[in-house]
């Protein structure tokens, strides 16, 4: 029985590292590029995320989808980015972490699992590119999300920005599907 799970980002991610992304569009362009490269390098699915200091644009962590590569159904880009940021900051609650507030920038709106992680992570803002519907359109099962999930996050004091550079983010999903990338759902 394993006693430890370690998530390791592909080596190419370090080559794409940046320290600061000043605008929301810069942040989304970066995350969409990570998703595109994850597909083109054959290291995972068409999803990427980053935890970024909202006020300064300082990048705290990035995550790419590693579900198949790591044989780990929880290795979604958002989960990876949040785990790495929390480990780096030594704080399970990003709302209490230094140099915040923090935002999670995702190439696609979060699935059910990642939505739960967003709620508990302490991020102040959620920024999404492609929609849940875009992911479902190529066959991914995003789980049973409540229809009012955006309002629920806003009621908790979280800002939510949707469809930021959606055509670019949705294009990564379509390209992945067109190239025959595996659509991995637990019940398939």
């Amino acid at each position: 029985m394993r006693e430890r799970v370690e998530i390791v980002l592909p080596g190419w991610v370090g080559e794409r590292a940046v320290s600061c992304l000043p605008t929301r569009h810069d942040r989304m362009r970066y995350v969409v590029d990570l998703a595109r490269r994850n597909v083109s390098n054959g290291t995972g699915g068409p999803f990427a995320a980053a935890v970024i200091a909202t006020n300064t644009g300082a990048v705290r962590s990035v995550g790419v989808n590693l579900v198949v590569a790591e044989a780990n159904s929880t290795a979604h880009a958002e989960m990876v980015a949040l785990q790495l940021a929390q480990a780096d900051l030594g704080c399970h609650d990003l709302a209490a972490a230094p140099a915040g507030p923090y935002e999670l920038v995702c190439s696609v709106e979060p699935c059910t699992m990642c939505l739960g992680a967003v709620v508990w992570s302490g991020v102040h803002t959620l920024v999404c590119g492609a929609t849940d519907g875009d992911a479902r359109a190529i066959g991914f099962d995003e789980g049973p999300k409540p229809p009012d999930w955006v309002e629920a996050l806003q009621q908790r004091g979280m800002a939510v920005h949707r469809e930021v550079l959606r055509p670019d983010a949705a294009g990564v999903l379509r390209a992945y599907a067109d190239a025959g990338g595996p659509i991995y759902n637990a019940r398939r």
Side-chain angles (χ1 to χ4, degrees), residues 7-84:
I7 301 292
V8 179
L9 290 172
W12 64 262
V13 173
E15 297 166 9
R16 301 296 304 153
V18 297
S19 58
C20 183
L21 296 165
T23 72
R24 186 172 298 134
H25 283 87
D26 291 336
R27 297 166 192 180
M28 184 58 69
R29 266 191 287 283
Y30 178 66
V31 167
V32 169
D33 180 61
L34 290 173
R36 185 177 294 112
R37 289 180 185 275
N38 201 37
V39 172
S40 67
N41 285 307
T43 50
F47 306 95
V51 174
I52 298 172
T54 303
N55 297 330
T56 65
V59 178
R60 276 323 278 204
S61 69
V62 300
V64 294
N65 180 281
L66 300 170
V67 169
V68 174
E70 294 288 332
N72 183 337
S73 64
T74 67
H76 289 202
E78 299 93 332
M79 302 292 281
V80 172
L82 290 169
Q83 289 174 36
L84 291 173

Side-chain angles (χ1 to χ4, degrees), residues 3-188:
E3 294 183 15
R4 180 178 172 157
V5 174
E6 184 176 54
I7 301 292
V8 179
L9 290 172
W12 64 262
V13 173
E15 297 166 9
R16 301 296 304 153
V18 297
S19 58
C20 183
L21 296 165
T23 72
R24 186 172 298 134
H25 283 87
D26 291 336
R27 297 166 192 180
M28 184 58 69
R29 266 191 287 283
Y30 178 66
V31 167
V32 169
D33 180 61
L34 290 173
R36 185 177 294 112
R37 289 180 185 275
N38 201 37
V39 172
S40 67
N41 285 307
T43 50
F47 306 95
V51 174
I52 298 172
T54 303
N55 297 330
T56 65
V59 178
R60 276 323 278 204
S61 69
V62 300
V64 294
N65 180 281
L66 300 170
V67 169
V68 174
E70 294 288 332
N72 183 337
S73 64
T74 67
H76 289 202
E78 299 93 332
M79 302 292 281
V80 172
L82 290 169
Q83 289 174 36
L84 291 173
Q86 290 167 337
D88 183 52
L89 292 162
C91 188
H92 72 280
D93 180 2
L94 294 176
Y102 292 96
E103 63 185 46
L104 180 64
V105 181
C106 311
S107 62
V108 180
E109 292 174 347
C111 70
T112 300
M113 175 180 66
C114 294
L115 181 61
V118 167
V119 169
W120 301 121
S121 70
V123 295
H124 183 266
T125 305
L126 176 64
V127 182
C128 308
T131 66
D132 176 277
D134 295 329
R136 290 179 193 274
I138 67 163
F140 280 103
D141 179 356
E142 298 298 278
K145 286 184 358 188
D148 64 343
W149 67 272
V150 173
E151 293 79 14
L153 292 180
Q154 291 169 334
Q155 287 174 358
R156 290 174 168 268
M158 189 180 302
V160 179
H161 303 279
R162 299 171 73 193
E163 299 187 28
V164 176
L165 300 179
R166 178 183 178 194
D168 296 339
V172 174
L173 293 171
R174 284 189 306 277
Y176 177 79
D178 291 348
I183 307 295
Y184 40 86
N185 295 319
R187 300 278 187 278
R188 282 194 177 200

